[in-house]
Structure formats: C-alpha cells, structure tokens
Amino acid sequence: MLKITHIKSLTPELNLFHYNDIPVLVIKHSVGEAKIALQGAQLLSWKPQKAKHDILWLSNIASFQRGTAIRGGIPLCYPWFGGIQQPAHGTARLDLWALNDYKVNENSVWLQFHYLNQQNQRQAQLEINFTQDCELTFTHYGEKLAQAVLHSYFRVGDIHQVEVTHLPQQGLNCVTQQQENYPSSRKIDQHIDCVYSIPPSHKQNRIVDDSLKRQIMLEQQGASNLVLWNPWHKAMSDMTPNDYQQMICLETGSIDRPLQNGESIVLRLALLAD
C-alpha cells in the first residue's frame, strides 16, 4: 500500500513528499505536472499542459521501498547497463541523488540533481528542463569510462496499435543473441529486446500511438545506442500480467561507446497530437 506524506514546500510549484520511504519531488506548474524520485533522480511522471494522458508509464504495484528499483518512468542505468555487474543496471538507480539546484519561472521549471560518491564528489549530474517539452541532460563526471542509459518507459493505449519509427535497420536481438535486419518502422507483437547502434547523425524517433491518437517524439544527442523493449507475456517484477499492453520502452544511451569524463547524453521528449 502506498503511503504519501508531505515533507516540505520548496516553492508553490515544487513540493517534496515521501512515497512510502522514497522522497519524491512533485511539480505542478502551468507548463504541466511531473514527479521525480530522489532515489535515482528518476523521472516517474510527466504530463505536459493540455495532455490527456501521462507520457510515461509507471507500475501501479511499485513498492517504493528504499534500495528497490522502481519499475517505470525513466530509470538511470549507470555506471553500467545490464547484468555485466551487480546490481543489474548499475547502482545509480538505487541510491539517493541530491537536488542541487532549481529554477522556476513563468515558462519553465529547471532542476539539477547530483550523484555523489563515498568521498562526496560529484560522479554524475542530471538536469531536467520542463517547458512545453521535457529535456534531460545526463553528464558523467567519474574518472573511469561509464555506460549510461535513460531507460524510458512510455505509456501507450494499446501495444497492438503502436508503431516505432526511424529505427536503424540492423540490431542485436537479445532474445536470440543474433544480429538481425529489421524494418525502420516496427510494430510490437511479441517479446522484443533489441539493442541498436546509432551514428552521431541519428537524431529522432517517434512512437506512433493510434489508440491514444498521439505521437511521442524523441530527439537524442551524444548517444551511441537505442534499446527497444517490451516483455510481452514474460513475467517481470513489479508488473501485472497485462501491463505489457500499456507500455513500450525506447531507451537512449551509451553502451557501445562508454562516456568519458564530462560527456553528456541529451534526450528531448515532445508530445505531438494527431
């Protein structure tokens, strides 16, 4: 059961709550509404002004327990992706980040979060800027090379009526562990887990959702990979058996080409109605 407790107000538009034992920053502003968990600096929800539905999908059965990954929103997988080390997808999504700075004005809300090491030194930074769009800038500041992925879960009305466009035409099928050729526009009708390599010239993808009559546009900078994922009928933690029908993951990150100190990944999200 989710227990929500107000902690404090930072501004009239920014309020901090406890969702069970995880602090969550709640934004209510003329540009829209959003929620960010301080565990992982994880954007949980973004509903721009006049949008009928949230852009992001969040599990209704997420436990919001400290140290447990939150299923949905945009988890930050860092400093590694996948199961090459434990915990899977890195430590950053399980640790508390610090809200370092914020600015609220008439047309935007800007937030800056820091991920600190045991010596209290900045290892990574996430900036989120909400206007009519949402822009996330992740920057790596550690001395060693690091992978980073913005593991974005998008809400859709019906997975059977979704098409993802402008994809590369070759990718690694992680189900079969084979490189395979694909069409540049893909519909989802089975378990999919595909890692694409993208060149620096790759800029944009769209999630076309006929059920909700909208498109979600993604623009990337500094990334080397896209990951397209939907578990279909595969059982997953913190997901009900039918949750796969209302979500699709299109993830932006650097897996093949880990980030050097000072390098960034930028992801801009925009809602395009039909």
Side-chain angles (χ1 to χ4, degrees):
M1 183 176 179
L2 183 61
K3 181 181 178 181
I4 300 176
T5 308
H6 185 258
I7 302 173
K8 63 179 178 179
S9 295
L10 304 179
T11 74
E13 301 86 0
L14 304 180
N15 281 272
L16 194 61
F17 293 82
H18 266 134
Y19 280 43
N20 290 343
D21 56 359
I22 292 180
V24 174
L25 186 63
V26 175
I27 300 170
K28 293 187 178 181
H29 187 277
S30 60
V31 299
E33 300 180 0
K35 297 175 184 176
I36 303 103
L38 295 192
Q39 177 175 293
Q42 184 169 337
L43 180 58
L44 303 175
S45 169
W46 173 50
K47 188 177 180 184
Q49 183 187 30
K50 297 182 180 178
K52 295 179 181 178
H53 306 280
D54 207 301
I55 302 300
L56 302 176
W57 177 88
L58 179 66
S59 172
N60 288 326
I61 59 171
S63 65
F64 284 92
Q65 300 299 320
R66 282 284 303 275
T68 299
I70 303 170
R71 176 76 69 182
I74 306 183
L76 302 178
C77 303
Y78 171 86
W80 59 83
F81 178 73
I84 57 174
Q85 298 184 53
Q86 291 299 314
H89 290 323
T91 55
R93 66 177 185 154
L94 302 177
D95 292 339
L96 287 180
W97 289 50
L99 175 61
N100 184 64
D101 198 4
Y102 57 89
K103 296 175 183 176
V104 179
N105 61 42
E106 183 180 352
N107 299 312
S108 68
V109 177
W110 173 83
L111 307 165
Q112 183 186 77
F113 301 89
H114 283 174
Y115 183 47
L116 306 176
N117 62 17
Q118 293 181 347
Q119 289 74 42
N120 216 35
Q121 298 169 323
R122 181 180 58 173
Q123 287 292 105
Q125 175 177 285
L126 179 71
E127 295 176 86
I128 309 178
N129 192 39
F130 299 99
T131 56
Q132 62 180 358
D133 302 332
C134 174
E135 185 173 280
L136 299 95
T137 303
F138 177 91
T139 306
H140 166 58
Y141 286 109
E143 295 180 1
K144 297 180 180 180
L145 294 175
Q147 296 176 329
V149 174
L150 281 67
H151 193 321
S152 310
Y153 289 75
F154 295 100
R155 178 177 178 179
V156 297
D158 178 359
I159 192 63
H160 302 90
Q161 300 182 55
V162 170
E163 187 171 11
V164 184
T165 70
H166 300 90
L167 292 166
Q169 293 184 294
Q170 188 178 73
L172 174 64
N173 184 338
C174 295
V175 179
T176 64
Q177 289 298 310
Q178 299 291 321
Q179 286 283 342
E180 297 181 8
N181 295 323
Y182 299 104
S184 61
S185 294
R186 296 187 68 175
K187 293 187 175 182
I188 313 301
D189 59 4
Q190 60 184 318
H191 176 203
I192 183 170
D193 188 357
C194 186
V195 179
Y196 296 97
S197 295
I198 56 174
S201 59
H202 184 96
K203 297 297 183 185
Q204 186 184 116
N205 298 94
R206 292 192 183 193
I207 298 172
V208 181
D209 185 348
D210 288 341
S211 177
L212 295 184
K213 295 182 170 55
R214 69 181 189 180
Q215 297 183 22
I216 302 168
M217 184 180 70
L218 295 78
E219 289 187 350
Q220 305 93 357
Q221 296 178 24
S224 63
N225 297 92
L226 292 172
V227 181
L228 182 63
W229 180 74
N230 182 288
W232 212 248
H233 294 300
K234 183 180 178 182
M236 303 297 299
S237 62
D238 284 339
M239 289 184 70
T240 66
N242 293 322
D243 275 346
Y244 76 92
Q245 298 180 26
Q246 276 77 51
M247 55 74 65
I248 183 72
C249 284
L250 185 58
E251 310 164 35
T252 301
S254 285
I255 304 169
D256 298 341
R257 187 186 65 79
L259 298 176
Q260 300 184 49
N261 182 292
E263 286 192 316
S264 300
I265 299 169
V266 181
L267 172 64
R268 186 173 74 88
L269 305 176
L271 175 64
L272 307 175
D274 270 1

